[in-house]
């Protein structure tokens, strides 16, 4: 769905949209969309910029950082974003973004593609580190077994280490 300034000049656009898993292209991201993604948003023209604000939620399938097991993670995010046409940047002009206006993006062509906006927001909503649970015991550093499911019998490395007491 392309949001153009021409359309917004007439009236603001209220978006209520669902993206099925696979519809949004997360490129090389290390997660999958498991459930339909719901977006509710309003787009309007503010001082020549396209402002898009709204909310989305979905469920992602992510890999646990410790045990590499699958994690089902509900995510949601509010966003309030401004987009200017790329043509508005003079070539030598330094782009100064005021503190209170950090979330300014640029668009080339006719307007802003909503699916690009949502794709980016989903990627931003994913935490850097994901674990399947606070008690995840991870993989055994010696044999690689998943210590959540099978005691592998390797001697526990850390507690026996002479440096353990220093931690
Ligand atoms: Zn885990
Ligand atoms: Zn082991």
């Amino acid at each position: 769905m392309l949001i153009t300034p021409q359309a917004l000049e007439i009236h603001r656009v209220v978006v209520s949209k669902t993206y099925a898993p696979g519809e949004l292209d997360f490129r090389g991201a290390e997660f999958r969309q498991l459930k339909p993604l719901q977006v509710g948003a309003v787009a309007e023209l503010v001082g020549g910029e396209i402002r898009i604000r709204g909310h989305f939620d979905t469920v992602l399938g992510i890999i646990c950082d410790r045990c590499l097991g699958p994690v089902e993670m509900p995510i949601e995010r509010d966003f309030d974003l401004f987009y200017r046409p790329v043509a508005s940047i003079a070539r030598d002009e330094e782009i100064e973004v005021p503190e209170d206006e950090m979330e300014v993006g640029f668009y080339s062509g006719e307007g802003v593609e909503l699916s690009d906006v949502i794709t980016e927001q989903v990627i931003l909503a994913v935490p850097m580190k994901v674990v399947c649970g606070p008690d995840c015991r991870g993989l055994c550093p010696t044999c690689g077994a998943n210590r959540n499911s099978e005691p592998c019998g390797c001697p526990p490395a850390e507690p026996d280490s002479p440096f353990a007491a220093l931690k």
Side-chain angles (χ1 to χ4, degrees):
M1 176 181 183
L2 191 67
I3 297 168
T4 65
Q6 286 78 11
L8 298 180
E9 262 166 27
I10 301 163
H11 54 72
R12 63 184 203 160
V13 172
V14 178
V15 179
S16 175
K17 198 166 164 47
T18 303
Y19 293 99
E23 252 186 277
L24 297 172
D25 177 10
F26 298 109
R27 283 148 230 151
E30 290 183 337
F31 58 79
R32 287 185 308 127
Q33 184 188 328
L34 299 180
K35 299 265 167 74
L37 183 151
Q38 314 270 6
V39 185
V42 175
E44 58 195 329
L45 267 190
V46 178
E49 295 175 352
I50 296 177
R51 181 187 197 183
I52 306 175
R53 61 200 152 116
H55 180 89
F56 73 80
D57 61 76
T58 187
V59 177
L60 299 181
I62 311 186
I63 300 294
C64 173
D65 245 35
R66 287 188 205 150
C67 72
L68 307 182
V71 184
E72 261 191 41
M73 175 171 279
I75 59 158
E76 58 167 340
R77 188 173 168 97
D78 291 316
F79 52 89
D80 187 357
L81 307 159
F82 292 82
Y83 292 89
R84 292 174 193 160
V86 161
S88 68
I89 315 169
R91 189 175 298 174
D92 294 324
E93 186 189 338
E94 192 123 325
I95 305 165
E96 282 183 43
V97 180
E99 290 276 323
D100 59 341
E101 230 189 89
M102 287 305 284
E103 306 224 60
V104 176
F106 294 91
Y107 65 91
S108 55
E110 298 287 294
V112 177
E113 178 51 57
L114 184 70
S115 59
D116 291 343
V117 172
I118 300 303
T119 301
E120 191 186 0
Q121 291 301 306
V122 170
I123 291 170
L124 290 171
V126 175
M128 296 288 285
K129 267 200 178 293
V130 174
V131 288
C132 59
D135 301 330
C136 177
R137 297 159 75 193
L139 300 178
C140 170
T142 308
C143 73
N146 185 341
R147 291 186 293 195
N148 295 317
S149 48
E150 39 181 322
C152 60
C154 295
E158 293 236 346
D160 289 341
S161 147
F163 302 107
L166 300 175
K167 285 194 176 163

